[in-house]
Amino acid sequence: MAPQAKSGGGNRLERNDRLVRLALLVVAFSAVSVLLVITVFIVGQGTPIMFRYGLKSFLTGSAWYPSEKLFGLWPMIVGSLAVTAGALVIGVPLGLSCAIVLTEFSSKRVRGFIKPIVELLAGIPSVVYGFMGVIILVPFIRETFGGPGLSVLAASVILGIMILPTIISISVDSLQAVPPSYREGSIALGATRWQTVKMVLFPAARSGIIASIILGMGRAVGETMATIMVAGNAAEVPRSLLAPVRTLTSNIALEMSYATGEHREALFATGVVLFVIIMVLNTIANATSAKRRKQP
Amino acid sequence: MRRLGPRVEEKAARVGLWALTLITVGVLVFIIFFIMRRGLPVLSLEFLTANPADMGKTGGIFSTIVGTVALTVLAIVIAAPLGVGTAIYLTEYTWGGPVTRVIRFGAECLAGIPSIIFGLFGFILFVTKLKFGWSILSGGLTLAFMLLPTIIRTSEEAIKSVPASYRSVSFSLGSTKWQTVTRVVLPTALPGIVTGVVLSIGRSIGETAATIFTAGSALRMPTSLFSSSRTMSVHFYILAREGISMPNAYGTAAILIIAILGINLLTYFIMNRFIKKYS
């Protein structure tokens, strides 16, 4: 009896192990299932109205008057693209410079000071950025350049600052991943540090840097509260940098609390457009960083 | 145009790069000083322990602190086991293959989804379809989904950094996979995992777009999982945007910044000890 009980114990352990493996597999699919459920709900709620009114009029219509059943998303699509482009103009030079300084031009002590600051930048709530925009940037733009102040320009600057942590951290990772021998070889050939950065490190880390910029774009497209606070939110195509603008995200957040019926469906349709843009950006970023991983 | 000599170019590049870096650092330092200078004078024990009165015009922020903590705790309690479990599966139980790729792709996509989409989704599923209403439950579940990818990624990195020899020794002593995971791998990776969780706490404290449509914005003290509750970030947003009370808005923002600073310091502390242990 005794030996059997012992081997039974061994089997129990092995059976437990198999059960654990199964349980972990189920848990591991949680993220995928959440993604699927979100996709199903947003698309399920948002697409019927798009086809009812015609995809073309939905995407290219320039009038958004939900009370009159006019659901043209064009101004918001242009708005999102405009502030995202603006954010890149501000954020990419700042972010890449910071990444280069952190990896190539600073001592360990300076790095130990700047790195936590960048991490802190990532932790500050978006409403605080938006608030700083309203209190400081918007009045500044109004007094210096004219116009209402709440504008494409204000949203671009605030979003440009908000995407810095994403750009910096991923670029730093990819610059650090360049094998030290590249750097040493270049310096040994008599190149200066900057020449090394420009001609060796940047090309070697290119795909990671591109991925960081695309992920930064994703953040800028998706940011909501800060944009609402500084962009002015007029639902029309902005004519200049100083004109107010409404993004896809703001469109949802501004009207969600009181929308009903078709109006609410149209907001979900806005969500679908946003969702598609983000998924395309994610896939590109994924593909570029996958290419990087394959490189020797 | 004559080309610059390499030495001049090097100088110019250094000056330019450092100038842009200092702008980045300056922006952050400025934001913190600006908020603190106006927010710290408002802070008092009473501000922290009194409930908001008169739409937040007077009184403190106690109920919003309770709301924030409740939402965050619920989100972490749901997301941490799922996230750590996923990370264990990805690092210890599979080696590449289509299943891993699907799971990784799902987590990466989820990480890129904007919070307003989570808000929309939580609103339609938890608030309306499942009839949880605007509540801590709806908000906590939505936040949990949002935090999941962060926790998966940080835990995965922590588990990967455990030396392979630890596992070999454990297996050679006759332990099963699960024993190795629970008694050797997880305890060693714990500081890294905790860092990820703490960072997620920071994210959920600062979140507004996802919580305002799922947890609502009631100022009352929440009494159960089904009461609507306003988080500190939402409170700050409403105070500032509707111009209800600037001093109270600054006070709330100061508390938010202090919380984020504390969380970053904490993660730094944990990570430093973790790194010291392995080098």
Side-chain angles (χ1 to χ4, degrees):
Chain A
M1 253 344 249
Q4 216 177 354
K6 200 178 167 197
S7 81
N11 280 340
R12 204 183 60 230
L13 273 179
E14 276 166 31
R15 208 176 52 233
N16 277 351
D17 233 39
R18 275 201 296 276
L19 279 178
V20 163
R21 182 191 200 91
L22 197 69
L24 282 176
L25 180 65
V26 173
V27 166
F29 269 98
S30 57
V32 181
S33 341
V34 167
L35 182 70
L36 278 180
V37 173
I38 290 181
T39 314
V40 166
F41 266 91
I42 302 287
V43 171
Q45 296 282 324
T47 39
I49 190 170
M50 292 172 106
F51 290 113
R52 215 179 306 140
Y53 283 81
L55 201 57
K56 190 162 172 279
S57 79
F58 224 101
L59 295 178
T60 59
S62 56
W64 175 266
Y65 296 114
S67 54
E68 287 157 41
K69 307 261 174 233
L70 286 171
F71 303 111
L73 283 179
W74 185 242
M76 278 64 92
I77 295 174
V78 173
S80 278
L81 294 180
V83 298
T84 304
L88 291 183
V89 169
I90 307 277
V92 170
L94 285 175
L96 291 187
S97 303
C98 199
I100 295 170
V101 165
L102 276 176
T103 48
E104 301 301 321
F105 291 108
S106 56
S107 63
K108 211 173 167 195
R109 266 181 69 192
V110 176
R111 243 192 319 269
F113 172 72
I114 297 181
K115 256 197 136 171
I117 286 192
V118 172
E119 278 160 29
L120 211 53
L121 210 51
I124 291 187
S126 51
V127 278
V128 172
Y129 283 108
F131 180 69
M132 294 301 288
V134 172
I135 294 286
I136 296 181
L137 191 61
V138 168
F140 174 78
I141 291 176
R142 188 168 49 222
E143 280 150 29
T144 328
F145 304 111
L150 300 160
S151 57
V152 179
L153 182 61
S156 302
V157 173
I158 294 297
L159 288 175
I161 295 168
M162 292 182 72
I163 63 175
L164 284 175
T166 310
I167 295 184
I168 295 172
S169 64
I170 300 173
S171 303
V172 164
D173 284 348
S174 58
L175 283 170
Q176 278 173 346
V178 176
S181 57
Y182 285 35
R183 196 174 288 122
E184 289 155 9
S186 165
I187 301 277
L189 286 172
T192 63
R193 289 304 280 238
W194 170 242
Q195 284 172 327
T196 307
V197 168
K198 199 172 60 172
M199 299 172 186
V200 178
L201 298 181
F202 242 77
R206 201 183 58 209
S207 52
I209 290 172
I210 293 174
S212 82
I213 295 173
I214 296 170
L215 288 174
M217 273 176 86
R219 271 216 71 187
V221 174
E223 178 49 45
T224 314
M225 301 323 260
T227 320
I228 290 187
M229 291 170 95
V230 299
N233 306 322
E236 42 193 70
V237 175
R239 296 271 161 239
S240 79
L241 274 181
L242 301 175
V245 62
R246 180 186 286 203
T247 62
L248 291 164
T249 51
S250 321
N251 196 38
I252 301 171
L254 285 166
E255 300 182 358
M256 196 58 214
S257 51
Y258 62 86
T260 51
E262 283 201 322
H263 185 187
R264 179 176 282 177
E265 282 182 63
L267 294 181
F268 273 91
T270 314
V272 173
V273 176
L274 182 63
F275 195 78
V276 170
I277 295 177
I278 293 288
M279 282 317 221
V280 169
L281 288 177
N282 272 349
T283 315
I284 299 174
N286 248 319
T288 40
S289 49
K291 213 165 72 196
R292 178 185 47 171
R293 261 179 247 128
K294 267 190 209 135
Q295 278 168 1
Chain B
M1 204 181 87
R2 216 168 61 89
R3 280 191 56 190
L4 294 169
R7 222 170 273 161
V8 181
E9 197 186 316
E10 169 89 7
K11 267 260 151 56
R14 273 178 197 248
V15 170
L17 291 172
W18 267 105
L20 292 177
T21 306
L22 289 180
I23 292 178
T24 305
V25 173
V27 164
L28 183 95
V29 173
F30 177 76
I31 292 177
I32 291 181
F33 271 92
F34 189 89
I35 299 283
M36 287 303 172
R37 230 190 67 207
R38 287 161 180 76
L40 284 181
V42 183
L43 298 188
S44 63
L45 196 61
E46 210 207 318
F47 186 73
L48 293 176
T49 55
N51 281 326
D54 198 11
M55 302 295 289
K57 205 174 268 170
T58 53
I61 56 166
F62 187 56
S63 65
T64 68
I65 296 178
V66 174
T68 310
V69 172
L71 269 177
T72 306
V73 168
L74 182 61
I76 296 288
V77 164
I78 299 166
L82 289 177
V84 176
T86 307
I88 294 174
Y89 187 79
L90 285 177
T91 48
E92 304 289 318
Y93 285 83
T94 64
W95 296 269
V99 175
T100 326
R101 269 209 298 280
V102 167
I103 294 172
R104 273 228 176 88
F105 180 74
E108 271 173 44
C109 282
L110 204 59
I113 291 183
S115 49
I116 185 76
I117 298 272
F118 281 98
L120 265 186
F121 160 74
F123 175 78
I124 202 73
L125 177 61
F126 302 128
V127 177
T128 22
K129 286 257 152 64
L130 296 176
K131 297 199 169 58
F132 295 158
W134 280 300
S135 61
I136 289 179
L137 185 60
S138 306
L141 286 167
T142 310
L143 269 182
F145 287 178
M146 240 179 93
L147 301 182
L148 195 53
T150 316
I151 297 186
I152 293 177
R153 203 182 44 237
T154 47
S155 310
E156 223 190 308
E157 269 160 32
I159 294 174
K160 266 190 205 150
S161 70
V162 176
S165 57
Y166 284 35
R167 295 180 183 89
S168 317
V169 169
S170 168
F171 286 133
S172 70
L173 289 172
S175 14
T176 63
K177 189 118 213 170
W178 184 236
Q179 284 172 326
T180 308
V181 168
T182 49
R183 296 184 200 168
V184 179
V185 176
L186 281 185
T188 323
L190 197 63
I193 296 174
V194 171
T195 307
V197 170
V198 174
L199 281 177
S200 314
I201 293 176
R203 239 196 112 185
S204 70
I205 290 176
E207 184 47 47
T208 316
T211 51
I212 196 168
F213 295 119
T214 51
S217 57
L219 267 176
R220 282 187 317 275
M221 182 64 108
T223 48
S224 79
L225 277 181
F226 291 97
S227 11
S228 165
S229 176
R230 186 185 283 200
T231 64
M232 285 189 281
S233 295
V234 172
H235 187 55
F236 168 68
Y237 173 72
I238 293 175
L239 288 185
R241 189 156 164 81
E242 294 173 9
I244 293 171
S245 157
M246 277 319 199
N248 280 7
Y250 278 116
T252 315
I255 295 287
L256 279 172
I257 301 248
I258 292 171
I260 299 296
L261 273 172
I263 280 169
N264 276 50
L265 279 177
L266 189 63
T267 54
Y268 235 69
F269 179 69
I270 302 171
M271 262 339 261
N272 271 344
R273 287 191 50 178
F274 186 50
I275 291 163
K276 251 185 218 140
K277 219 167 127 188
Y278 290 99
S279 53

